[in-house]
Amino acid sequence: MIREVKLQDAKAITEIYNEYVMHTVATFETEPLQEDVMRSRIAEISAHFPYFVYEINTEVVGYCYAHTWKEKDAYKYTLETTVYLSPAHIGKGIGKLLMQKLVGECRRQGYHALIACITAGNEASNSLHRGLGFKQVSHFEKVGLKFGHWLDVIDYELVLN
């Protein structure tokens, strides 16, 4: 079931996200987050933008949201997207369902474009976004350093209207 996020989801979201922080290069954050920090982030983002979770038997197993891409006013119709799944639920179509819901809601709210910033080599995320109609629009080389390795970032764009 997909539903809007609640602040009570902060614990589950923190646990999912910290798996990526500690063990992958999917996020460039390098230190695990505390639940209160995640709760603040959820409150701030969900107050202004779409934010959804995927539940199985009341357990949050994935989430996605849209947020400000750039701060300047001319960018206000373009959002950046984020999606994370519990490692045990990858490859089951949940990410696609979450992102379809997010894209639909962003379109309904009148946004014009969505940007997905993906670490190069993350083929699951690349495939997900291409399957949703996102097109690669950039490739930045060696812009992040994590686990002692320089990492590239690829941007994908989906024009909504």
Side-chain angles (χ1 to χ4, degrees):
M1 168 179 96
I2 297 175
R3 63 166 172 78
E4 290 185 3
V5 73
K6 300 175 187 171
L7 291 181
Q8 298 91 316
D9 299 322
K11 182 178 188 321
I13 290 172
T14 303
E15 289 173 0
I16 292 169
Y17 185 65
N18 281 342
E19 279 295 312
Y20 288 89
V21 172
M22 295 182 299
H23 304 292
T24 78
V25 294
T27 175
F28 281 18
E29 217 144 1
T30 58
E31 296 296 324
L33 295 186
Q34 297 298 317
E35 186 179 332
D36 61 325
V37 173
M38 183 61 80
R39 186 177 294 105
S40 294
R41 288 183 184 185
I42 292 168
E44 177 61 27
I45 294 166
S46 65
H48 304 285
F49 304 106
Y51 198 137
F52 300 105
V53 298
Y54 192 99
E55 266 188 348
I56 298 176
N57 299 325
T58 71
E59 176 190 1
V60 173
V61 299
Y63 65 96
C64 69
Y65 58 89
H67 57 95
T68 303
W69 179 56
K70 300 270 188 185
E71 295 297 323
K72 298 198 174 40
D73 193 52
Y75 292 118
K76 68 184 174 186
Y77 296 104
T78 299
L79 299 177
E80 183 176 343
T81 63
T82 297
V83 58
Y84 286 100
L85 302 177
S86 167
H89 292 87
I90 293 172
K92 299 179 179 180
I94 294 170
K96 182 177 181 180
L97 292 172
L98 278 166
M99 285 298 295
Q100 287 172 330
K101 175 79 171 174
L102 185 67
V103 167
E105 184 60 19
C106 289
R107 185 175 278 125
R108 190 188 72 72
Q109 289 186 22
Y111 289 101
H112 180 72
L114 299 176
I115 306 293
C117 303
I118 301 169
T119 307
N122 185 342
E123 289 309 316
S125 193
N126 291 340
S127 178
L128 168 66
H129 286 85
R130 284 191 304 265
L132 292 167
F134 283 73
K135 305 282 189 239
Q136 183 178 334
V137 293
S138 73
H139 184 131
F140 297 98
E141 295 182 4
K142 300 179 181 176
V143 294
L145 179 66
K146 188 170 180 183
F147 303 136
H149 299 284
W150 285 105
L151 303 167
D152 295 1
V153 172
I154 298 170
D155 286 342
Y156 286 84
E157 178 185 28
L158 178 66
V159 177
L160 299 174
N161 51 33

